[in-house]
Amino acid sequence: MLRNPCLILQRPPKATRAAVQEQAIFGSAEVSANAMTSEPSVTDSTDRMQRDREELASRIDRSTPSDGIHATALPALRLFRASDPGAQVCAMYEPGLALVAQGAKQVFLAGESYRYDQANYLVTSIDLPVSSQVIGATPEQPYLCAMLRFDTRRIGELLAETDMPEPTMSAGRGLSVSPLSSELLDTVLRLVRLLATPQDLPILAPLVERELLYRLLLGEQGPRLRHIATNGSRGHQISRAIGWLKNHYHQPLRIEELAGTVSMSASSLHHHFRAITAMSPLQYQKQLRLQEARRLLLTERCDVASAAHRVGYESPSQFSREYSRQFGAPPLRDAERLRGGTLALVG
């Protein structure tokens, strides 16, 4: 006589004592597998980012006893602190990452404004003359930031090793802000942690830097970085043009000569240079001249005529006019303000 098939399906298999004990200790195999493969919740990720951000702020705070930029045992990594908003300052931003642990800052590039804070990071893919201002800082809650300078050659090597596709979009501005991910924050935090164990830096720091570059290349800023590091791309050609300008800023600028140096037509150079830097090559050269003149006035105590001549100006009066428009005061008065500590040369 056949059994009722429904009864067979409803009757559970007899569990052995060992199986019952295993389930009581570890749970069912299905539940365990689900627990191992489940994604972390949004709340967990947010809490982790907050803890990482607080730890990063604490470590930067301990490593920066005074306002300003502080070098570290890792040459590419610098830490910045500001206890009040202060005034706008002019600086040359190198290719790199700026990640804020506390506070906020605003950067101005040829009239464009970029704000970044604890939720957003800044990437500069090419040397850019900018002005900047800390906009969120108090003595109790100072602005704290970690800045990592990029080596574009290492980016190119990483691209070759990983065989990432060439970017299809244009290079875009050489400066941009993107939302901060937990993975990027974690990588920067691990790099800063290594400062507490100097003996580990030579071995582990290059690995963490490599991971950081890899994450950036895969993220929203990846196409910009790939453009600058890829030989033959427009971004790479503009990077070479900027290198030439930095080495010859004191010489008269001939666009056709510069275009030929980087294998571009004059019109193409103008178009792509402005697209990436938000200024023409001539405007860029003027920024370089004025910032170098400011350094000469401050650190070498040059007179105005000597500083103007050394950076390529034939007319001291024209130099003084352009300097005043750029920095908000005539050369000597501006240098006195800087020596008095009311401004900082870098932001």
Side-chain angles (χ1 to χ4, degrees), residues 322-334:
E322 294 187 355
Y323 190 104
S324 298
R325 283 198 295 268
Q326 176 69 21
F327 299 119
L332 291 182
R333 191 190 309 166
D334 179 60

Side-chain angles (χ1 to χ4, degrees), residues 38-53:
S38 62
E39 293 291 333
S41 68
V42 174
T43 302
D44 290 341
S45 178
T46 302
D47 290 345
R48 177 188 170 188
M49 286 190 72
Q50 183 59 30
R51 290 193 302 270
D52 285 352
R53 191 179 289 113

Side-chain angles (χ1 to χ4, degrees), residues 26-285:
F26 300 107
S28 69
E30 181 179 1
V31 172
S32 298
N34 289 339
M36 293 175 63
T37 59
S38 62
E39 293 291 333
S41 68
V42 174
T43 302
D44 290 341
S45 178
T46 302
D47 290 345
R48 177 188 170 188
M49 286 190 72
Q50 183 59 30
R51 290 193 302 270
D52 285 352
R53 191 179 289 113
E54 290 173 356
E55 180 184 348
L56 180 61
S58 177
R59 289 180 178 273
I60 296 176
D61 184 48
R62 294 196 302 268
S63 300
T64 55
S66 60
D67 285 357
I69 289 185
H70 297 259
T72 71
L74 185 62
L77 178 66
R78 296 175 298 168
L79 306 176
F80 184 75
R81 178 193 190 98
S83 298
D84 58 76
Q88 276 192 38
V89 294
C90 296
M92 178 65 71
Y93 273 24
E94 300 175 311
L97 164 74
L99 194 150
V100 176
Q102 187 170 277
K105 192 173 186 180
Q106 199 159 15
V107 176
F108 303 93
L109 173 66
E112 300 175 354
S113 175
Y114 300 82
R115 185 186 188 277
Y116 58 107
D117 51 26
Q118 294 172 298
N120 304 279
Y121 65 94
L122 177 92
V123 162
T124 309
S125 61
I126 206 163
D127 295 275
L128 290 173
V130 302
S131 61
S132 64
Q133 182 177 22
V134 172
I135 56 176
T138 65
E140 297 76 23
Q141 296 286 321
Y143 172 81
L144 301 169
C145 180
M147 300 173 292
L148 183 73
R149 185 174 63 251
F150 296 154
D151 183 342
T152 53
R153 290 174 299 181
R154 292 190 63 186
I155 296 176
E157 293 169 359
L158 187 57
L159 287 173
E161 292 177 24
T162 55
D163 195 28
M164 291 185 183
E166 293 187 6
T168 55
M169 59 176 282
S170 63
R173 284 284 187 265
L175 184 150
S176 187
V177 174
S178 288
L180 177 64
S181 67
S182 59
E183 293 81 8
L184 187 60
L185 174 59
D186 172 70
T187 309
V188 173
L189 174 57
R190 284 186 281 114
L191 193 62
V192 173
R193 280 176 184 159
L194 287 175
L195 298 176
T197 55
Q199 67 276 13
D200 295 334
L201 279 174
I203 303 300
L204 298 182
L207 301 178
V208 181
E209 285 186 74
R210 179 181 172 86
E211 178 188 346
L212 190 147
L213 291 177
Y214 177 74
R215 294 194 179 281
L216 287 172
L217 286 169
L218 291 181
E220 187 175 277
Q221 299 293 335
R224 286 182 173 84
L225 296 176
R226 293 202 293 272
H227 262 290
I228 300 302
T230 302
N231 285 328
S233 69
R234 294 304 189 194
H236 188 259
Q237 288 174 307
I238 299 304
S239 178
R240 289 171 53 205
I242 286 176
W244 189 94
L245 287 171
K246 290 175 66 177
N247 290 327
H248 303 85
Y249 65 89
H250 56 286
Q251 299 176 4
L253 176 58
R254 299 178 178 84
I255 295 297
E256 291 76 12
E257 178 183 345
L258 176 58
T261 300
V262 298
S263 303
M264 300 178 74
S265 67
S267 60
S268 180
L269 172 66
H270 261 292
H271 173 74
H272 292 286
F273 198 100
R274 185 176 290 277
I276 293 176
T277 69
M279 61 191 81
S280 69
L282 188 60
Q283 291 171 324
Y284 190 99
Q285 183 197 48

Side-chain angles (χ1 to χ4, degrees), residues 7-18:
L7 294 178
I8 296 175
L9 292 175
Q10 292 172 356
R11 183 181 299 132
K14 186 177 181 180
T16 64
R17 179 175 299 178

